[in-house]
Amino acid sequence: MAGVQVNPTRMEMKRYQTRLQTARRGHKLLKDKRDELMRRFMDVVREDKSLREKVERSLESVYGGFTVAGAVQPPQMLEEALICPKKEGALDVTFHNVMSVEVPVFRLQVYAEGNTDSYNYGMAFTSGELDASVQALNGILEDLLRMAELEKTAQLLAEEIERTRRRVNALEYILMPQYQEVIRTIRMRLDENERGNTTRLMKVKDMMIEAQIARPEDEDEDGMTENIQNPTDAT
């Protein structure tokens, strides 16, 4: 680990080995989480794509009907027919957890008095194209809410995927290599110290052997000296 001073001891190496094992387990869990998030994200995107195509076809038909209605009726009459809504509604938003991501769920509650049809005007002075367009627009309201829910879910999942990907990369390319480098450095220092101790022990052993070899020669020389100094004892 560049710029970090560590003690080259076995306890320190054991501590970094434990950190490395924890980082590897976290890396595997985050990779599994990322893969599952990607799978769910693709499911949401596919559903949203299919629903968007359906809604766009319906809206194209609705806009076409409004265009025809505007061509056969004065714009003021259309504005008067559509200016006052007949229904009121409330959007209920709840959340549920998807892989630690809180995604929204939209529920529409519509409040209508009397007849619950889609028309908020009398049909005596309006064209059939306007009636059909209003009815079709009311029919795709649930699809529009579902599409908004899916697109928000896709956005939140994409953000979580990006965060998880950054964490996986940080563990894989930064933290785990740093731990491995520290462990390798400590192991090299320990091996170097062990070789130094072995060399010193071998040197001490050689010195002891040399001392043991030299000691009998000294004893023989001392004995000969005593004999020369005391000849009477020898006779």
Side-chain angles (χ1 to χ4, degrees):
M1 190 179 297
V4 177
Q5 298 294 330
V6 294
N7 296 323
T9 60
R10 297 189 182 278
M11 184 172 293
E12 192 74 9
M13 184 173 68
K14 181 66 175 176
R15 187 163 66 90
Y16 275 96
Q17 287 175 341
T18 302
R19 288 185 179 182
L20 180 60
Q21 292 175 358
T22 303
R24 284 173 174 167
R25 288 196 296 269
H27 178 261
K28 182 180 183 305
L29 290 174
L30 285 174
K31 283 186 68 176
D32 294 342
K33 177 183 177 181
R34 183 194 60 186
D35 295 341
E36 180 63 19
L37 283 171
M38 283 296 301
R39 186 186 68 80
R40 298 200 181 193
F41 175 78
M42 294 306 299
D43 291 341
V44 170
V45 169
R46 281 191 288 267
E47 183 180 355
D48 180 64
K49 180 176 180 295
S50 175
L51 190 59
R52 175 174 284 274
E53 291 174 352
K54 175 185 175 183
V55 168
E56 287 180 351
R57 287 193 299 267
S58 300
L59 287 176
E60 183 179 358
S61 175
V62 168
Y63 291 151
F66 278 124
T67 302
V68 173
V72 300
Q73 287 182 296
Q76 184 178 1
M77 185 175 294
L78 288 177
E79 184 177 354
E80 290 176 354
L82 300 176
I83 195 171
C84 295
K86 185 177 180 180
K87 297 180 181 179
E88 294 182 357
L91 184 63
D92 182 24
V93 182
T94 58
F95 295 89
H96 74 279
N97 189 289
V98 177
M99 299 295 294
S100 73
V101 181
E102 294 292 329
V103 299
V105 178
F106 298 149
R107 293 291 181 269
L108 180 63
Q109 298 180 0
V110 178
Y111 308 105
E113 296 180 359
N115 190 8
T116 58
D117 58 22
S118 304
Y119 309 112
N120 56 346
Y121 54 85
M123 292 183 288
F125 302 101
T126 57
S127 64
E129 290 79 5
L130 179 62
D131 301 339
S133 298
V134 171
Q135 183 67 28
L137 191 61
N138 183 72
I140 64 174
L141 184 58
E142 291 292 335
D143 291 337
L144 287 171
L145 287 175
R146 177 59 179 166
M147 190 173 68
E149 176 184 321
L150 290 173
E151 292 190 355
K152 186 60 178 179
T153 300
Q155 177 188 350
L156 294 174
L157 289 178
E159 293 174 356
E160 183 66 20
I161 289 170
E162 181 62 22
R163 284 193 294 267
T164 306
R165 185 187 65 83
R166 288 198 299 267
R167 291 171 183 170
V168 169
N169 290 340
L171 285 172
E172 184 173 355
Y173 298 109
I174 298 177
L175 197 60
M176 290 168 59
Q178 287 179 350
Y179 288 160
Q180 291 170 349
E181 180 65 24
V182 170
I183 293 171
R184 183 164 51 250
T185 301
I186 294 175
R187 184 175 286 116
M188 290 175 60
R189 293 290 299 276
L190 291 175
D191 292 343
E192 182 180 352
N193 294 338
E194 187 175 353
R195 287 193 297 268
N197 292 334
T198 303
T199 302
R200 283 193 293 271
L201 289 174
M202 293 177 64
K203 184 64 176 178
V204 170
K205 181 179 178 181
D206 292 340
M207 292 173 63
M208 293 176 63
I209 292 175
E210 290 176 358
Q212 289 177 358
I213 292 174
R215 187 175 298 116
E217 294 178 355
D218 294 340
E219 292 177 354
D220 293 341
E221 290 178 357
D222 293 340
M224 291 176 64
T225 303
E226 291 177 358
N227 291 333
I228 292 174
Q229 290 177 355
N230 302 305
T232 56
D233 296 339
T235 58

